[in-house]
Amino acid sequence: MQTQHFPVIVVGGGQAGLAMSWCLTQRGVKHIILERSHLGWAWQAQRWDSFCLVTPNWQCRLPGFPYDGDDPDGFMVKAQIIDYLRRYAASFNAPLTEGVNVERITKQGNRFYLATSVGPYSADRVVIAVGNYHQPRFPALAARLPEAIVQVHSSAYRNAAQLPPGEVLVVGSAQSGAQIAEDLHLSGRQVHLCVGSAPRVARFYRGRDVVAWLEDMGHYRLTVDDHPLGEDARRKTNHYVTGRDGGRDIDLRAFALQGMKLYGRLLDYEGGQLSVADDLARNLDAADATSQKIKDSIDQWISEQGISAPVEPRYQPVWQPTETSHHIDLSRLSAIVWAVGFHTDFSWIDLPAFNQQGYPRHQRGISTVPGLYFLGLPWLWTWGSGRFEGVGDDAQYLAAQMLAESENRDVRIPHAG
Ligand SMILES: Cc1cc2nc3c(=O)[nH]c(=O)nc-3n(C[C@H](O)[C@H](O)[C@H](O)COP(=O)(O)OP(=O)(O)OC[C@H]3O[C@@H](n4cnc5c(N)ncnc54)[C@H](O)[C@@H]3O)c2cc1C
């Protein structure tokens, strides 16, 4: 089969791949996007039915195509997100080829070779834009649980009706776990939730979305190089909050008042019982403390800037854990939703571009292998790098760097201007 050659190949047809494609199109660089499934697949296939953005719509600022709807302060639902991506691709006639799985990438000399499900491709530059959430993570103990208990990963959870009738355990309280627990709770299910160390953030404070305050405060311009945690920022768990029904806090204590059963971190499965850590109170307190710290920083900003904004009382916990049970009664459960994250898997890229943990070695997406770039990873450069907010800036940067580098290399990229 004849190898098809392109100056640039972008792997992945999500928002990152499309943003990259827009930036290359603007510069007249010939390229193609190879997408394993279909445009926006992750939003369609890996999110639950009631899913909506946690970030406000105005933060959807893909290059050349900022959010154009009538609800900038709202939170797009799944179908609207996919529609936004489809309209984006159509707006510049993105060179997207769907149904092409890139199975292996190698390099000989200056040229990359891509073995794909439809035949060979080659390229002078390759941009990896395949997201960060590759393989659902399950704890080892999941394999030992009784078969009668249905187990689904958060990425496969759709709605309560998908699960057999009965009580449901959700494990993990970061963004997905907290929202899925809420979804099940609102559907009338008895929910048990293992609460981990994820922080939380308020939705609104002193008259505005917290995200709007943080935007003004420059929070989203902070780079990984300037972050107090440095590259460890990439491993930070996301704060839980929701955009559902116009946006609101997720206060697990309020759910507990309404009957949700909260536990500490899940530890083990032994002798027919699930054991949990004694850290529920600590985890709830820590989540509240983070939320309060963010509010305090907003207070400080308001006062420094002399802004007039309504004052809000400090949060008072509405519930405290009293039970000391270290076990969850498995016989009560019909299903478990594992909301414990994902593994990344770049093993199909056969190039020395990764550290021992398999994470790409890069500086703002420019990898250690000349001509290979990464885009769309959380905190690739800023908080927004793995989100709608910042992926466009990173794509612009990579496109500019690619052309600048090409001026000094053997393989120049043909482009307009
Ligand atoms: C539960 C959840 C909630 C989120 N909420 C928000 C939010 O509110 N706001 C926000 O801005 N961000 C949010 N994000 C983060 C981020 O916006 C999404 O993860 C988004 O899908 C990332 O876009 P992407 O283009 O980088 O990757 P993806 O959307 O994952 O797209 C990657 C594409 O690459 C394709 N692909 C993968 N491997 C190959 C291969 N080998 N060959 C060919 N194609 C391949 C896939 O099929 C996929 O279509 C959320 C993420 C999750 C998981």
Side-chain angles (χ1 to χ4, degrees):
M1 210 180 267
Q2 214 188 341
T3 300
Q4 296 190 60
H5 184 79
F6 288 85
V8 181
I9 291 184
V10 179
V11 185
Q15 72 222 24
L18 291 174
M20 191 70 233
S21 177
W22 187 88
C23 296
L24 294 171
T25 302
Q26 287 299 301
R27 289 163 175 81
V29 175
K30 191 171 177 218
H31 66 284
I32 188 171
I33 310 172
L34 301 181
E35 162 56 43
R36 175 164 59 196
S37 184
H38 57 82
L39 182 156
W41 168 84
W43 293 107
Q44 176 106 62
Q46 292 200 311
R47 314 277 185 266
W48 51 95
D49 293 350
S50 66
F51 179 89
C52 62
L53 290 179
V54 165
T55 51
N57 294 335
W58 56 262
Q59 271 202 334
C60 292
R61 35 191 173 214
L62 292 175
F65 206 72
Y67 174 78
D68 57 355
D70 58 4
D71 191 14
D73 295 323
F75 308 90
M76 282 192 272
V77 297
K78 199 165 145 170
Q80 292 171 319
I81 301 167
I82 295 160
D83 179 60
Y84 174 57
L85 290 178
R86 287 206 179 115
R87 289 188 301 113
Y88 185 40
S91 74
F92 63 99
N93 200 13
L96 172 72
T97 308
E98 298 178 324
V100 181
N101 185 30
V102 178
E103 292 161 350
R104 190 157 209 82
I105 303 183
T106 53
K107 191 179 185 194
Q108 280 168 34
N110 283 325
R111 191 164 275 211
F112 291 91
Y113 292 89
L114 291 80
T116 82
S117 52
V118 299
Y121 285 81
S122 65
D124 303 322
R125 309 280 189 291
V126 175
V127 181
I128 306 295
V130 298
N132 191 56
Y133 309 106
H134 302 152
Q135 290 170 356
R137 185 193 291 269
F138 291 90
L141 67 86
R144 293 190 277 119
L145 293 175
E147 270 180 28
I149 296 181
V150 169
Q151 301 184 48
V152 295
H153 188 263
S154 58
S155 57
Y157 171 76
R158 292 289 162 270
N159 53 51
Q162 160 202 21
L163 304 177
E167 303 187 12
V168 183
L169 170 66
V170 178
V171 181
S173 59
Q175 253 185 35
S176 295
Q179 290 179 77
I180 290 171
E182 181 190 54
D183 192 53
L184 287 161
H185 179 66
L186 293 178
S187 78
R189 287 295 180 107
Q190 173 64 60
V191 176
H192 303 255
L193 175 65
C194 282
V195 179
S197 57
R200 80 179 179 102
V201 62
R203 177 79 272 169
F204 302 104
Y205 185 57
R206 300 195 63 179
R208 294 173 82 198
D209 194 315
V210 165
V211 174
W213 287 120
L214 294 177
E215 163 88 2
D216 289 357
M217 291 158 65
H219 179 75
Y220 302 118
R221 290 189 294 279
L222 179 71
T223 71
V224 70
D225 284 354
D226 295 331
H227 196 288
L229 294 175
E231 294 192 356
D232 285 346
R234 293 177 177 147
R235 283 188 285 279
K236 270 182 67 181
T237 312
N238 289 324
H239 301 64
Y240 60 85
V241 63
T242 185
R244 193 163 171 166
D245 302 329
R248 56 175 174 249
D249 288 7
I250 294 187
D251 183 355
L252 300 180
R253 297 180 197 269
F255 290 155
L257 269 186
Q258 295 159 11
M260 191 185 288
K261 303 277 182 219
L262 304 186
Y263 307 85
R265 222 165 3 102
L266 183 63
L267 289 179
D268 205 356
Y269 171 60
E270 232 178 333
Q273 287 200 311
L274 289 168
S275 58
V276 292
D278 188 15
D279 58 3
L280 175 59
R282 200 162 57 244
N283 292 344
L284 291 174
D285 287 348
D288 289 342
T290 304
S291 172
Q292 189 57 53
K293 203 169 132 199
I294 295 168
K295 288 180 176 178
D296 290 345
S297 69
I298 295 171
D299 286 341
Q300 192 184 339
W301 170 261
I302 287 173
S303 131
E304 281 168 6
Q305 302 296 313
I307 297 166
S308 165
V311 177
E312 282 189 30
R314 282 178 90 80
Y315 171 78
Q316 296 299 328
V318 294
W319 177 88
Q320 293 289 357
T322 48
E323 287 176 30
T324 51
S325 168
H326 293 158
H327 293 99
I328 301 171
D329 184 357
L330 206 58
S331 66
R332 295 174 64 169
L333 303 180
S334 66
I336 299 180
V337 181
W338 297 106
V340 292
F342 296 79
H343 296 288
T344 50
D345 178 14
F346 294 107
S347 59
W348 47 281
I349 303 172
D350 198 2
L351 296 166
F354 303 93
N355 67 18
Q356 283 186 334
Q357 289 74 46
Y359 182 80
R361 290 182 208 275
H362 69 88
Q363 177 64 21
R364 197 174 180 183
I366 300 175
S367 87
T368 47
V369 172
L372 182 72
Y373 306 86
F374 290 88
L375 184 64
L377 300 175
W379 277 100
L380 181 108
W381 184 237
T382 60
W383 175 90
S385 288
R387 296 179 169 89
F388 277 112
E389 196 268 341
V391 68
D393 286 348
D394 292 342
Q396 295 278 23
Y397 174 80
L398 285 189
Q401 289 295 312
M402 218 182 262
L403 289 186
E405 283 168 20
S406 107
E407 300 303 317
N408 302 319
R409 283 190 49 208
D410 300 342
V411 187
R412 296 186 58 157
I413 308 180
H415 62 95

